[in-house]
Amino acid sequence: MDNPSPTALAPAAVRLADYAPPEFLIDTVDLTFHLDPRETRVVSRLAVRRNPLAAAGGTALRLDGESLTLDRVAIDGATLGANRYAEIPGGLEIADVPDAFTLEIETRIHPAANTELSGLYTSGGSFFTQCEAQGFRRITYFPDRPDVMARFTTTLIANPAQCPVLLSNGNPAGGGTRDGKLWATWVDPHPKPAYLFAVVAGDLVSVDDHFVTRSGRHVDLHIWVRRGDEDRCDHAMRSLIKSMKWDEEVFGLEYDLDVFNIAAVSDFNMGAMENKGLNVFNTKYVLANQDTATDGDYEGIETVIAHEYFHNWTGNRVTCRDWFQLSLKEGLTVFRDQEFSADQGSRAVKRIRDVRGLRAGQFAEDAGPLAHPVRPDSYIAIDNFYTATVYQKGAELVRMIQTIIGRENFRKGMDLYIARHDNQAVTIEDFVAAMADASGVDLSRQALWYRQAGTPELHVSDAYDSDARRYSLTFRQTTPPTPGQPEKVALPIPVSLGLLDPDGQPILTRLEIVSEAEQTVSFEGMAARPVPSLLRGFSAPVKLKGLDNATLRFLAQHDTDPFVRWDSLQQYAAALMLDMIQPWRDGAALTLDPGLIEALRAVLDRAGIDAAFAAEALALPGEATLGDQMAVDDVEAVFAVRDFAMRAVAKALAAPLLETYERLNQPEDAARIDGPAIGRRSLKNIALATLRRADEAAAVILAKRQFAAGANMTDVLAALGVLANIDCPERRDTLAAFHERWRDDPLVLDKWFAVQALSQRPDALRDALALAEHPDFDLGNPNRVRSLIGSLAANRMAFHSADGAGYRFLADTIITLDPRNSQLAARMVPPLGKWRRHGPTRQALMRAELERIVAVPGLSKGVFEMVSRSLA
């Protein structure tokens, strides 16, 4: 028999159009956990009532459940016979229920065997939960959907030797010992959906502080970690306190419980989770000191701590009606954490980094088979939609609203949104309506951005009439077809623009809304032809096209908007490198436009003004960025021309690069983690990395010296990264020394795996395959998997090895991972999904691996969805 097609095997999709309110609501939930790693008993007591807003239904109650052993069901204290309920695929059905009643259910679960890391599981001997998006159904039977909001009371009972710490949502409401067991009760006074439920229990220790809210309430703050990690929590605690203060000052939002707990766990599928009052974090986003954490780690911790705290209002107090509204909480909260981070340092550099990340991740997603709107129409596994589109593009849609209505009106809109919808589960329309009502601005067409996938391309052309002294800009917008959306409509694109005179002096700035497929804007009284500065501050998530190299070079040198100055240099460099592709294929000698070298020289000359900006400007567009701009991605050609360009820049600027490196390599900066010091380190280390391409022998000496100094992890890892790219004895020695020093620290050892997987050496793939067999590689730990296999997939020359070995390695990993941790396995699929972007040989190899995966019997819904969408 032929293998059935992916379509024939497809699990049922959930569709936005089919949304209906829940037939039953849960007012209160009382949970009791008898914690045991092998078998935990859960007793739930639910106050259930029929939803008056739901359509008239039958008398049966259907609850979600997965991987549960059911022991007892009772209504109003009376145990039900087996004829009154039935375990059905995906849940439990109870027949003939009244309109209001108390439902009691007893289940058993197996935390130590839970390798999915969803629901209740153990890590390092402690208990942790992860319930977003649909993990609560792995704890007990429940209507596991975000529009069922209840007040939770949780009692935890455990062996005191194993679990001296017992935590859940809300405020502590009692505890002690009974019959040799330790118990604790927690009460959350705020209604919440089950995805925000949390339990943490184990032998943990806390780092403590407090915060006094603007109304004078005292809040106890605790960060819970395994013993020995207490000295690495100070930065996370400072970040939490800064976040709490900022949210009060900027949005008027005050914390609403007596205690705020953070618990760190090394086995975690996500970065962190905003459970009400008990945030669970990946250790990567909590633990830091200068010996173990890079500047990027410090910044990441501050951002993620802020993000999860900000969810207290945008996600928890006001939550999503259904999972299609995911960006309602995630896009809005990413916007809020971006604004917070911008206020902590250079707003311009923060914006540049956010846009760089958006283009690398979300633009690529929009251009491939996994493209979807910010609010998807359907899903098979909702875990697959925790994407750059929902998060990063969602944040850009929020930012566009602020751009259109202004900061003051945006704050009014936030006030109105919270006041209207506190303790409700709502939709994106509710958010946009609050902004429109508060500002008086019609935002109805903004909904198009949430419904339409793809990245718009904004083509610009200009004209100047010297007699009439009139200058005109004509914008034409198009959006390429995406899966399921072949036809596109024009979107309202806010274009923040400026005009510069021939000397680079600003003439005017203003905001234009380009809402038609073609639209012309004219400017009167122009004495000379101005130079247009467009998408200032990146006012919309679009691709700007049509500016020639001369204009881009001028803007890179003169624009007063730092984003446009940076972006123009990026576009200019990308255009030059792409123009080299065909000459390289033809075997012609390559030359680099001297204008680019002079533009970069000017960046170095002005580096003292803003070192962080200079570091961003010196980082030329990466291989993936260049490949995405080609009709067919040519991996070898892109690598070759970028390497040539980087070598040409390094050789031409070797003297100022070395001077910059030596000037910034100062001991007094080594222990500082403030914005200016981080910026100087960033510039110093990109100068070192660039110098490698001019003189490897000299770079080895500098990198070896920097590695040996061990001033901080940022400098150590930067030096190791340089040496990892060079075939030399020092490479082997420093990698061995790093492993010996840090083999017992999981987060630092992740960096050791990653730096080798990202090496540009020809043997990088062979090394990565060997590292997968290394005793310290753990397929059960998501961080370790991402550090090796995720990094390898980002290493284009290694992953796209002509023999397909990189593709086979990734497919083998996905197949092996899926039965253990399907969520992590599904998130490894996207690199293979880009097969259409390559030539026929690579297409065939990548497609064959996708077909091999989808043919595996018993494939999870999440992996099936990702692979079948990639193949469709």
Side-chain angles (χ1 to χ4, degrees):
M1 178 185 293
D2 291 338
N3 287 329
S5 69
T7 302
L9 293 171
V14 179
R15 303 186 186 281
L16 173 60
D18 296 335
Y19 171 82
E23 292 186 19
F24 291 87
L25 299 176
I26 312 295
D27 291 323
T28 62
V29 180
D30 286 272
L31 289 169
T32 300
F33 287 77
H34 299 268
L35 292 168
D36 183 275
R38 292 181 300 277
E39 186 170 84
T40 289
R41 186 161 62 92
V42 182
V43 179
S44 69
R45 185 174 292 105
L46 316 178
V48 186
R49 62 184 170 91
R50 192 174 296 277
N51 184 0
L53 300 181
T59 59
L61 171 67
R62 294 174 182 84
L63 304 174
D64 299 303
E66 183 179 324
S67 302
L68 304 174
T69 300
L70 179 62
D71 287 337
R72 178 174 176 265
V73 180
I75 288 182
D76 294 333
T79 299
L80 301 186
N83 62 323
R84 285 285 307 281
Y85 64 87
E87 293 182 84
I88 59 176
L92 177 70
E93 182 173 282
I94 306 172
D96 300 324
V97 299
D99 288 342
F101 57 97
T102 298
L103 174 65
E104 187 173 311
I105 299 175
E106 294 186 22
T107 57
R108 284 172 289 135
I109 54 179
H110 308 280
N114 182 2
T115 60
E116 287 282 351
L117 310 184
S118 173
L120 179 70
Y121 65 95
T122 59
S123 173
S126 295
F127 294 86
F128 297 90
T129 55
Q130 174 55 35
C131 291
E132 187 176 0
Q134 296 176 335
F136 191 76
R137 66 188 62 189
R138 298 172 62 87
I139 293 172
T140 187
Y141 288 104
F142 196 80
D144 192 6
R145 46 188 289 172
D147 55 356
V148 175
M149 301 176 68
R151 289 178 170 83
F152 281 68
T153 297
T154 305
T155 298
L156 306 173
I157 302 169
N159 182 331
Q162 183 183 30
C163 294
V165 174
L166 301 173
L167 307 173
S168 190
N169 306 92
N171 296 317
T177 57
R178 184 185 303 132
D179 300 327
K181 297 285 188 177
L182 185 68
W183 68 274
T185 295
W186 292 78
V187 175
D188 188 349
H190 304 286
K192 65 173 179 285
Y195 83 84
L196 291 170
F197 175 77
V199 162
V200 171
D203 185 13
L204 304 171
V205 292
S206 67
V207 173
D208 307 323
D209 210 316
H210 72 279
F211 181 78
V212 179
T213 70
R214 61 179 183 167
S215 67
R217 288 193 310 102
H218 180 99
V219 181
D220 290 322
L221 309 177
H222 308 287
I223 298 178
W224 299 89
V225 295
R226 66 181 183 178
R227 295 182 186 277
D229 285 336
E230 301 96 311
D231 65 339
R232 299 165 68 182
C233 297
D234 289 348
H235 179 66
M237 184 64 81
R238 288 194 300 269
S239 299
L240 174 60
I241 292 171
K242 283 197 294 186
S243 302
M244 298 177 81
K245 189 173 188 296
W246 184 88
D247 215 16
E248 289 186 349
E249 293 174 347
V250 176
F251 286 104
L253 298 173
E254 182 177 325
Y255 187 62
D256 53 1
L257 292 171
D258 300 330
V259 62
F260 188 88
N261 285 308
I262 289 174
V265 57
S266 59
D267 297 307
F268 203 61
N269 285 333
M270 297 183 170
M273 179 58 209
E274 70 268 18
N275 317 297
K276 183 70 178 178
L278 176 54
N279 287 188
V280 179
F281 270 66
N282 192 315
T283 50
K284 176 180 174 66
Y285 294 109
V286 171
L287 304 180
N289 60 33
Q290 287 204 295
D291 287 339
T292 63
T294 65
D295 292 337
D297 292 329
Y298 275 103
E299 291 173 331
I301 288 168
E302 184 176 77
T303 295
V304 176
I305 290 277
H307 180 94
E308 305 308 330
Y309 175 75
F310 297 155
H311 266 313
N312 187 63
W313 283 95
T314 52
N316 296 4
R317 286 286 289 262
V318 183
T319 196
C320 302
R321 185 196 73 177
D322 54 73
W323 288 120
F324 296 101
Q325 319 298 327
L326 181 58
S327 194
L328 175 71
K329 73 182 185 79
E330 296 301 349
L332 176 56
T333 305
V334 168
F335 167 79
R336 280 164 32 80
D337 79 51
Q338 289 175 348
E339 286 294 288
F340 166 78
S341 296
D343 283 346
Q344 309 312 306
S346 168
R347 179 166 285 270
V349 170
K350 171 60 177 169
R351 188 65 180 135
I352 287 167
R353 290 175 179 171
D354 288 340
V355 174
R356 191 191 289 278
L358 179 81
R359 288 173 170 170
Q362 197 281 318
F363 278 21
E365 189 169 85
D366 253 351
L370 301 177
H372 59 275
V374 171
R375 180 165 62 185
D377 296 321
S378 66
Y379 63 79
I380 292 174
I382 185 55
D383 290 332
N384 288 336
F385 284 89
Y386 284 72
T387 61
T389 296
V390 167
Y391 280 65
Q392 276 69 44
K393 187 174 182 177
E396 294 300 318
L397 304 198
V398 174
R399 187 175 298 278
M400 281 195 293
I401 291 174
Q402 179 184 258
T403 298
I404 293 168
I405 69 177
R407 285 183 173 270
E408 183 178 347
N409 281 332
F410 186 85
R411 168 61 195 272
K412 292 177 181 177
M414 282 293 295
D415 291 346
L416 181 58
Y417 174 63
I418 298 294
R420 276 182 179 174
H421 302 298
D422 190 14
N423 290 324
Q424 294 179 16
V426 298
T427 66
I428 286 168
E429 284 82 3
D430 293 316
F431 172 75
V432 176
M435 292 293 161
D437 293 346
S439 65
V441 176
D442 181 5
L443 297 173
S444 57
R445 295 199 72 230
Q446 288 301 118
L448 295 172
W449 278 98
Y450 286 95
R451 296 199 299 262
Q452 184 163 284
T455 303
E457 297 177 355
L458 191 63
H459 302 253
V460 61
S461 58
D462 66 348
Y464 177 61
D465 186 333
S466 57
D467 294 334
R469 296 161 60 96
R470 180 185 302 114
Y471 179 70
S472 299
L473 286 168
T474 297
F475 298 97
R476 287 180 293 277
Q477 61 165 296
T478 59
T479 303
T482 55
Q485 289 186 344
E487 302 296 329
K488 303 293 182 178
V489 299
L491 300 171
I493 300 175
V495 179
S496 178
L497 62 84
L499 298 181
L500 308 180
D501 70 16
D503 295 323
Q505 297 301 309
I507 300 172
L508 61 81
T509 60
R510 75 190 205 194
L511 181 69
E512 292 287 342
I513 308 298
V514 177
S515 55
E516 304 299 328
E518 182 170 324
Q519 188 169 321
T520 298
V521 181
S522 296
F523 306 87
E524 306 295 338
M526 297 290 112
R529 187 187 194 101
V531 179
S533 168
L534 305 174
L535 290 179
R536 294 165 72 87
F538 198 62
S539 56
V542 303
K543 296 178 180 179
L544 180 64
K545 299 191 172 185
L547 299 182
D548 60 29
N549 285 352
T551 300
L552 292 171
R553 187 166 58 242
F554 178 90
L555 293 170
Q557 293 174 329
H558 299 292
D559 204 309
T560 56
D561 182 85
F563 171 79
V564 174
R565 199 162 65 246
W566 168 81
D567 191 39
S568 298
L569 183 56
Q570 291 284 300
Q571 291 191 56
Y572 175 41
L576 294 179
M577 287 187 279
L578 290 170
D579 284 346
M580 296 180 194
I581 295 288
Q582 194 56 52
W584 179 84
R585 289 170 175 163
D586 295 340
L590 300 181
T591 57
L592 185 64
D593 185 342
L596 178 60
I597 292 172
E598 292 313 306
L600 293 174
R601 189 188 303 277
V603 168
L604 285 170
D605 290 343
R606 296 194 296 262
I609 300 172
D610 189 341
F613 177 85
E616 292 295 330
L618 284 174
L620 295 186
E623 295 170 49
T625 299
L626 298 173
D628 286 344
Q629 295 184 45
M630 301 178 67
V632 176
D633 189 349
D634 187 332
V635 175
E636 287 83 5
V638 166
F639 176 84
V641 299
R642 186 176 185 276
D643 184 63
F644 169 82
M646 292 294 294
R647 290 183 186 278
V649 168
K651 290 175 182 177
L653 301 179
L657 283 167
L658 182 60
E659 186 278 329
T660 298
Y661 175 81
E662 297 289 6
R663 174 170 50 83
L664 297 178
N665 192 32
Q666 301 300 321
E668 58 266 27
D669 258 354
R672 295 176 57 186
I673 56 169
D674 55 87
I678 289 173
R680 289 190 289 271
R681 268 194 296 276
S682 180
L683 179 56
K684 175 188 73 175
N685 286 320
I686 198 169
L688 175 61
T690 306
L691 282 167
R692 172 182 71 84
R693 299 176 186 270
D695 186 339
E696 285 192 347
V700 166
I701 294 172
L702 294 174
K704 183 181 177 182
R705 182 181 70 186
Q706 181 168 307
F707 181 88
N712 52 64
M713 182 54 71
T714 301
D715 285 349
V716 167
L717 197 66
L720 187 64
V722 168
L723 294 169
N725 280 292
I726 301 173
D727 277 314
C728 60
E730 290 83 356
R731 173 185 177 275
R732 181 185 62 253
D733 295 343
T734 51
L735 284 170
F738 190 93
H739 180 267
E740 180 64 24
R741 171 70 178 84
W742 298 110
R743 63 185 306 167
D744 296 323
D745 189 308
L747 292 177
V748 182
L749 199 59
D750 286 340
K751 304 178 193 301
W752 182 79
F753 278 93
V755 79
Q756 295 175 83
L758 290 169
S759 171
Q760 297 288 297
R761 295 170 58 256
D763 292 336
L765 176 58
R766 185 198 64 187
D767 292 346
L769 294 173
L771 285 169
E773 304 299 325
H774 193 280
D776 290 326
F777 182 72
D778 180 6
L779 198 63
N781 179 260
N783 287 351
R784 190 58 47 84
V785 172
R786 287 185 284 258
S787 70
L788 176 62
I789 297 159
S791 296
L792 178 69
N795 184 343
R796 284 166 50 94
M797 284 297 287
F799 178 63
H800 293 291
S801 172
D803 62 359
Y807 310 148
R808 286 194 299 276
F809 178 45
L810 180 56
D812 287 342
T813 302
I814 292 167
I815 291 169
T816 304
L817 260 180
D818 190 42
R820 301 176 57 176
N821 188 333
S822 61
Q823 187 178 135
L824 180 61
R827 290 177 178 174
M828 306 299 290
V829 172
L832 290 171
K834 297 180 180 180
W835 60 276
R836 289 180 179 83
R837 298 283 301 117
H838 296 273
T841 301
R842 284 196 170 99
Q843 280 195 16
L845 290 169
M846 296 172 82
R847 182 182 175 93
E849 296 304 329
L850 288 167
E851 290 173 339
R852 182 162 69 92
I853 296 170
V854 84
V856 173
L859 204 63
S860 70
K861 290 195 302 183
V863 171
F864 176 89
E865 181 176 30
M866 294 296 282
V867 175
S868 59
R869 286 173 61 201
S870 297
L871 286 168

